[in-house]
Amino acid sequence: MSAVRGLTLFALACTGSGAWVQHRAAATQEAAVAMLAGTRVQDDIVTTHNLTICNAYADHKPLSIYTVNNKAKLTEEPLPYKGCKLIALPMEESERIDFKLGGLSVGTFRVTGLPYVSANLLLVPYHRSNDTMSAAFASHMFSSSDERAQVAVVDAYSGSEAGAVKIQQARSRHQRQSAALKSGASVKVNAGSYLLGLDDASGRQIKTAALEAADHGRYVVMRVGSESDGHAQELVVSSASGNEGTAAARSGSFRAGLGIFAAAAAAAASLAAAAA
């Protein structure tokens, strides 16, 4: 695989600003796990954060989303599969976010280690495995210290099929060179036009999606699907400002818009914790 010429990719570390944290959660148990290193936190501080929720839970039914502590419904309508929604959400330590499928809770995400100031957060529920309805969660905090576009990469596919996500600049076919996007990473790219592809085990490209990256933009790239539920693996690209379940989120048709959040995080922190 050749490096993408002119494309700057930065994998973020597992602690500190923009750190990527991935957890699993059972539907009936909750356990707070602090995953932050050196982050100042304080109980009883309620701060409004910009939380993007992307539904990678492969099912024909949408997910209803609630806060347990305040018993508030976070979306007017349930969030459909492959949909992303940006929510301005006041949160405090140990807030719990519950995800329900047709009235049945499939998983609860518990938050710890929130920064003092508003942050740009991402939360992705998806199937834990083929033989359970319980949800797993991927969580991330976008960095506020860089003007380049940021892309969070999530592998939310549940099944036996292999798949690899690659990115390349949208040039002529003879000049295209690609780089792999590793799941569980957040990368920074220069503003410009990109083509993302999903390759199968033999290296054959089976899905594509376009991305128009802008400076300060926040984007989400997800490999989704569930073998047991008959949902083939797909590639979803979305602005972190949300696509709200529109057809634009489907692979091969999406051109992500500018995803600029209203508030920036001034502290290095991650959204972390889940029920295990």
Side-chain angles (χ1 to χ4, degrees), residues 48-130:
T48 297
H49 295 279
N50 296 299
L51 175 64
T52 299
I53 299 178
C54 290
N55 180 11
Y57 190 95
D59 198 280
H60 295 294
K61 296 179 180 178
L63 286 177
S64 296
I65 309 167
Y66 302 84
T67 58
V68 177
N69 296 17
N70 297 324
K71 297 180 173 58
K73 188 175 182 179
L74 295 186
T75 56
E76 292 183 6
E77 299 293 335
L79 188 63
Y81 174 47
K82 296 183 288 186
C84 293
K85 178 74 173 180
L86 173 63
I87 304 166
L89 179 65
M91 281 194 291
E92 58 185 324
E93 282 296 292
S94 300
E95 178 63 83
R96 292 174 294 168
I97 302 175
D98 190 35
F99 294 84
K100 293 185 178 181
L101 187 72
L104 175 66
S105 177
V106 295
T108 302
F109 188 88
R110 187 171 180 180
V111 178
T112 63
L114 287 170
Y116 287 139
V117 296
S118 182
N120 303 322
L121 309 172
L122 172 68
L123 182 58
V124 181
Y126 60 96
H127 264 134
R128 178 197 293 230
S129 66
N130 282 329

Side-chain angles (χ1 to χ4, degrees), residues 21-241:
V21 185
Q22 193 167 24
H23 303 287
R24 299 186 178 276
T28 58
Q29 295 181 341
E30 299 170 4
V33 182
M35 298 294 290
L36 303 175
T39 300
R40 295 175 63 217
V41 296
Q42 179 176 327
D43 294 339
D44 302 323
I45 296 295
V46 179
T47 303
T48 297
H49 295 279
N50 296 299
L51 175 64
T52 299
I53 299 178
C54 290
N55 180 11
Y57 190 95
D59 198 280
H60 295 294
K61 296 179 180 178
L63 286 177
S64 296
I65 309 167
Y66 302 84
T67 58
V68 177
N69 296 17
N70 297 324
K71 297 180 173 58
K73 188 175 182 179
L74 295 186
T75 56
E76 292 183 6
E77 299 293 335
L79 188 63
Y81 174 47
K82 296 183 288 186
C84 293
K85 178 74 173 180
L86 173 63
I87 304 166
L89 179 65
M91 281 194 291
E92 58 185 324
E93 282 296 292
S94 300
E95 178 63 83
R96 292 174 294 168
I97 302 175
D98 190 35
F99 294 84
K100 293 185 178 181
L101 187 72
L104 175 66
S105 177
V106 295
T108 302
F109 188 88
R110 187 171 180 180
V111 178
T112 63
L114 287 170
Y116 287 139
V117 296
S118 182
N120 303 322
L121 309 172
L122 172 68
L123 182 58
V124 181
Y126 60 96
H127 264 134
R128 178 197 293 230
S129 66
N130 282 329
D131 57 358
T132 180
M133 289 185 64
S134 296
F137 296 96
S139 61
H140 176 64
M141 174 177 161
F142 288 101
S143 171
S144 62
S145 61
D146 202 299
E147 295 183 353
R148 286 164 293 182
Q150 299 176 55
V151 181
V153 186
V154 179
D155 190 345
Y157 174 74
S158 178
S160 60
E161 295 183 24
V165 179
K166 296 182 179 180
I167 186 172
Q168 61 189 28
Q169 288 182 308
R171 299 176 175 178
S172 68
R173 291 184 179 273
H174 300 291
Q175 294 178 319
R176 284 178 178 168
Q177 294 177 302
S178 64
L181 288 180
K182 184 178 294 185
S183 173
S186 178
V187 298
K188 297 177 182 178
V189 300
N190 297 324
S193 301
Y194 297 91
L195 181 67
L196 292 104
L198 176 61
D199 295 355
D200 62 14
S202 64
R204 180 177 63 92
Q205 191 172 79
I206 57 177
K207 299 289 182 180
T208 61
L211 169 66
E212 288 290 342
D215 287 336
H216 303 283
R218 272 71 163 157
Y219 306 97
V220 185
V221 174
M222 302 186 296
R223 176 188 177 226
V224 300
S226 176
E227 191 173 46
S228 63
D229 293 303
H231 290 82
Q233 60 173 327
E234 295 185 61
L235 184 62
V236 175
V237 180
S238 175
S239 165
S241 60

